[in-house]
Amino acid sequence: MNFDLTQEQQMIRKTIHEFADEVVAPGAIERDKTKEFPKEIFKQLADMGMMGLPFAEEYEGAGADTVSFAIVTEELSRACASTGITYSAHISLGGAPLNLFGTEEQKQKYLVPICTGESFGAFGLTEPNAGSDAGGTQTTAKEDGGDFVINGNKSFITNASYAKHLALTAITAVKDGKKEISAIIVPTDAEGFTVINNYEKMGLNASNTTELVLENVRVPQENLLGKRGNGFRQFLVTLDGGRIGIGAMAVGIAQAAFDRALRYSKERKQFGKTLSEFQVTQFKLADMAMKIELARTMVYKAAWLKDQGRAFGKEAAMCKLYASEIAMEVADQAIQIHGGYGYMKEYEVERFMRDAKLLEIGEGTSEVQRMVIARHIGC
């Protein structure tokens, strides 16, 4: 059992760590205020070859592994979680379904622009009445000649304002009262396709979260992604990979909160001592460090299993669940260590808590993760 990163993984971590500190972090507070999407940062990431990191070089990707993807997501999230979630969704929700289920022609047409950064990756699953119960999908895709005509709404969709196309789920038939759900690739500039960006969010303010409205959107049937009727199964596979990204995000946010708390505890004096000299603070920081390290190990294990072609669904759910919950816990403790200053935006720890909360909800709530784990252990 080898816990060392490969030379390539170490190089990626060093590169992206420096980039996160020098380029991403300095504007994070301002982006949180203005809600400005970090387009320039992603142009630089594209130039660095990061936008198609885990995809094959034949599609303009970098041919790296899932562990490398987790490292990049963690480091970006440590500096700015809005940037981290944008990147994670771009790869794991936007690019991954095309890579896993697309035809060669679809990959050349739709995956390549994602890998080069020409288009952001996005995935249309959640609906106003279909969140944790994705089987409650109501969007329809009816056959008309050689086309699908799509009608419906999608909600809480990441990156869609900057995506030239995305895969979405829709009902393609109803048989014996059961919905046949398929995945279909839809250009975002198609007639009748509207992307609405007006959500007011608690956190992750610089990320792009949208509603999609589809009114008689017509696409050719060749835009079917994977097998007809397999859309439900395909998105479950997609979410397994996406949960590794959420886990990595959570580790990054938790690490950032810990770093701030540790630094502050060494600077702030009370009763003639620095906070770090009090045992109560030391125990808080020790618990925080331990839980972050455990979460990181769980994320890397799930990513490693995926890279080995082995089953990883249980581990992905576990790492997502544990990492997201300790991110909230660590952020809370970081605010507590800062005292009143922790409530102030300039100290950043309050932003970490606001950003971390989404990780207990997105890509399957903590309750859903426990259901997934229970199924895997035979309950």
Side-chain angles (χ1 to χ4, degrees):
M1 189 177 294
N2 185 357
F3 287 94
D4 288 331
L5 298 177
T6 66
Q7 280 191 320
E8 181 183 4
Q9 290 163 353
Q10 290 177 31
M11 181 187 71
I12 288 172
R13 183 172 66 177
K14 182 178 184 296
T15 300
I16 206 69
H17 183 89
E18 292 172 356
F19 178 81
D21 282 348
E22 295 168 10
V23 178
V24 182
I29 293 176
E30 187 63 20
R31 286 192 299 273
D32 181 56
K33 289 178 183 176
T34 64
K35 305 180 183 180
E36 182 180 356
F37 186 77
K39 282 190 287 188
E40 291 304 316
I41 288 172
F42 284 98
K43 284 181 183 177
Q44 292 180 64
L45 286 169
D47 292 340
M48 295 164 66
M50 295 292 175
M51 296 300 274
L53 186 67
F55 305 123
E57 293 177 10
E58 62 192 286
Y59 306 118
E60 303 297 328
D65 57 12
T66 311
V67 173
S68 298
F69 158 69
I71 289 167
V72 174
T73 302
E74 176 188 335
E75 289 293 343
L76 291 175
S77 301
R78 180 181 60 82
C80 170
S82 291
T83 303
I85 196 170
T86 301
Y87 181 80
S88 182
H90 169 81
I91 297 285
S92 65
L93 299 184
L98 296 168
N99 185 58
L100 289 167
F101 310 114
T103 64
E104 182 62 27
E105 184 180 354
Q106 287 173 338
K107 289 179 185 179
Q108 291 292 344
K109 187 173 181 179
Y110 300 113
L111 183 57
V112 169
I114 285 175
C115 291
T116 60
E118 181 186 344
S119 173
F120 278 81
F123 183 54
L125 172 63
T126 304
E127 297 186 6
N129 295 309
S132 295
D133 177 20
T137 297
Q138 295 177 338
T139 296
T140 60
K142 296 183 178 179
E143 294 178 70
D144 183 21
D147 296 337
F148 284 119
V149 178
I150 308 172
N151 284 279
N153 294 70
K154 299 289 182 178
S155 54
F156 310 135
I157 307 304
T158 305
N159 294 346
S161 295
Y162 300 92
K164 294 190 174 181
H165 48 77
L166 53 82
L168 56 79
T169 50
I171 302 166
T172 45
V174 179
K175 298 176 182 177
D176 300 323
K178 293 184 178 179
K179 297 174 183 177
E180 176 192 83
I181 297 177
S182 303
I184 302 168
I185 303 167
V186 183
T188 54
D189 63 356
E191 185 176 350
F193 194 130
T194 306
V195 179
I196 302 171
N197 177 22
N198 61 5
Y199 286 123
E200 291 288 330
K201 297 181 293 184
M202 174 180 176
L204 300 168
N205 285 322
S207 67
N208 178 242
T209 310
T210 66
E211 180 183 359
L212 311 181
V213 180
L214 298 98
E215 298 176 305
N216 295 320
V217 174
R218 186 177 290 268
V219 298
Q221 290 194 31
E222 66 191 36
N223 281 29
L224 182 72
L225 179 63
K227 292 182 180 179
R228 181 168 174 154
N230 272 17
F232 195 85
R233 191 174 295 112
Q234 288 168 203
F235 82 67
L236 289 177
V237 173
T238 299
L239 289 179
D240 278 343
R243 285 166 184 157
I244 295 173
I246 295 292
M249 271 192 70
V251 172
I253 293 172
Q255 186 67 56
F258 171 80
D259 291 345
R260 297 297 196 289
L262 179 61
R263 185 174 66 205
Y264 183 81
S265 74
K266 291 178 178 180
E267 296 169 352
R268 175 71 166 170
K269 287 192 173 182
Q270 294 277 274
F271 308 107
K273 294 182 182 180
T274 64
L275 293 181
S276 63
E277 292 180 84
F278 289 97
Q279 190 180 68
V280 64
T281 308
Q282 293 171 356
F283 281 10
K284 283 181 187 291
L285 290 165
D287 284 344
M288 291 159 75
M290 174 183 67
K291 290 173 181 178
I292 292 167
E293 195 57 36
L294 285 169
R296 180 179 289 113
T297 301
M298 293 175 78
V299 170
Y300 286 9
K301 180 183 178 182
W304 180 83
L305 287 170
K306 184 174 186 290
D307 288 332
Q308 301 305 307
R310 292 163 61 177
F312 68 96
K314 179 183 71 175
E315 289 76 11
M318 284 180 170
C319 83
K320 192 271 189 190
L321 171 62
Y322 182 73
S324 63
E325 293 195 343
I326 71 103
M328 277 295 291
E329 182 183 335
V330 170
D332 176 55
Q333 289 299 320
I335 292 172
Q336 197 71 17
I337 288 170
H338 278 75
Y341 291 109
Y343 212 66
M344 302 297 119
K345 289 185 182 294
E346 67 182 289
Y347 284 81
E348 299 194 84
V349 286
E350 62 82 33
R351 186 182 87 241
F352 300 147
M353 174 177 272
R354 288 188 288 108
D355 289 347
K357 185 59 197 174
L358 185 275
L359 308 185
E360 294 184 313
I361 299 168
E363 299 202 35
T365 61
S366 293
E367 292 77 11
V368 166
Q369 300 313 311
R370 288 182 167 89
M371 289 166 57
V372 171
I373 294 165
R375 283 200 296 269
H376 276 290
I377 63 176
C379 291

